[in-house]
Amino acid sequence: MKKLFAILGMITCMVGLCACGEEETAGPANEQSMVTFGEQLVAEMDSIVSEGSIENYASQPEIYAGLLSWESAMKDIGTFDHTEGGTATADEDGMTISVNVIGSSHNATVEIVLDGETGGYEGITTNVHYSTGEIMLKAGMNTLIGMGTVFVVLILISLIISSFTLISKVEENKRRKADAAQASSVQPQQAAAPAVVEEELSDDTELVAVIAAAIAAYEGSGSTDGFVVRSIRKSNKSKWQNA
């Protein structure tokens, strides 16, 4: 950590010297010095990440973010081999140092941006160099993943919509079964046999007496004690049928 701060202090001094001039780029000597300091910073970052002591710099957001960027890039870089020069440009706003990194799997560039007034870090980023084939492969994979996600979501939506129809059919079948069960439990009422309506004879006493006398005369008896007239019905037969 002390080495890292020492490097930062030297870089701050160099930024101050470069910012005093009116040129947009640092002189050859200053540029080489800044690149050298940048290479030392990259080596120190690799040492910190290898030791697993990144969390010690959590209170310094710019340095902490730079260490996380280096750690993430190491998955593609492989084993850090060495640095191989770089470039440094300075203006009144600050300085940008680019350090070339050589790795076992991929090369990379570490970009260090310094503030022109304070000389403090504005950002440290590690950019891995991929081949054209790898870039196309990643782009294709991202496209496939995106399209696959869209199709999966569309399939899920269609399944949900179709399930609504299935649910309605199930509910309709349940309702029909319930109606059928209720209809089968209700027994049809049998039609009641027509009641024999007996005519009231209380108001037809004279007619009853006449009919009883006629029946008695027809049977040759002089008395109606042998039978009782209980009802009088109208015959629906025609005269020819009665004849």
Side-chain angles (χ1 to χ4, degrees):
M1 185 173 182
K2 291 182 179 180
K3 185 185 294 185
L4 191 60
F5 280 120
I7 294 173
L8 178 58
M10 288 186 288
I11 292 177
T12 303
C13 294
M14 295 301 297
V15 171
L17 292 174
C18 293
C20 292
E22 295 181 356
E23 296 180 355
E24 293 185 357
T25 58
N30 290 338
E31 181 178 1
Q32 184 58 44
S33 299
M34 297 304 295
V35 171
T36 301
F37 293 142
E39 290 178 327
Q40 293 176 359
L41 179 62
V42 170
E44 185 64 21
M45 288 172 56
D46 182 67
S47 176
I48 293 172
V49 171
S50 299
E51 293 173 358
S53 55
I54 297 178
E55 297 300 326
N56 295 338
Y57 300 87
S59 60
Q60 304 172 64
E62 293 79 8
I63 297 176
Y64 184 69
L67 293 172
L68 290 178
S69 177
W70 176 263
E71 181 182 41
S72 177
M74 288 303 295
K75 299 175 183 177
D76 293 326
I77 293 174
T79 303
F80 171 61
D81 191 0
H82 63 279
T83 57
E84 197 173 73
T87 59
T89 57
D91 55 26
E92 58 184 10
D93 294 329
M95 176 173 286
T96 302
I97 305 172
S98 297
V99 180
N100 300 321
V101 176
I102 307 301
S104 59
S105 300
H106 292 85
N107 298 333
T109 298
V110 176
E111 189 175 86
I112 307 165
V113 180
L114 304 174
D115 184 76
E117 295 181 0
T118 63
Y121 293 110
E122 286 189 352
I124 303 174
T125 307
T126 303
N127 301 312
V128 180
H129 299 165
Y130 299 103
S131 64
T132 304
E134 291 174 327
I135 294 174
M136 295 297 294
L137 180 61
K138 284 191 175 184
M141 290 298 296
N142 292 334
T143 302
L144 289 177
I145 292 173
M147 293 179 62
T149 302
V150 171
F151 279 115
V152 169
V153 172
L154 290 176
I155 292 172
L156 289 177
I157 292 175
S158 63
L159 290 176
I160 293 173
I161 293 174
S162 62
S163 67
F164 291 156
T165 305
L166 181 61
I167 292 173
S168 62
K169 289 183 179 179
V170 172
E171 293 295 331
E172 181 67 18
N173 291 334
K174 288 183 179 179
R175 186 182 64 79
R176 290 181 179 178
K177 289 181 180 179
D179 293 343
Q182 184 178 3
S184 62
S185 62
V186 177
Q187 297 294 335
Q189 296 181 352
Q190 295 181 353
V196 178
V197 180
E198 295 185 357
E199 297 182 5
E200 296 292 336
L201 302 181
S202 58
D203 297 334
D204 298 329
T205 53
E206 294 182 357
L207 180 60
V208 170
V210 172
I211 294 174
I215 295 173
Y218 177 78
E219 291 181 350
S221 61
S223 174
T224 60
D225 295 336
F227 58 91
V228 177
V229 178
R230 298 184 179 278
S231 63
I232 301 173
R233 296 180 183 177
K234 182 179 179 180
S235 176
N236 294 324
K237 296 181 180 181
S238 63
K239 295 181 179 181
W240 291 103
Q241 290 176 336
N242 290 331

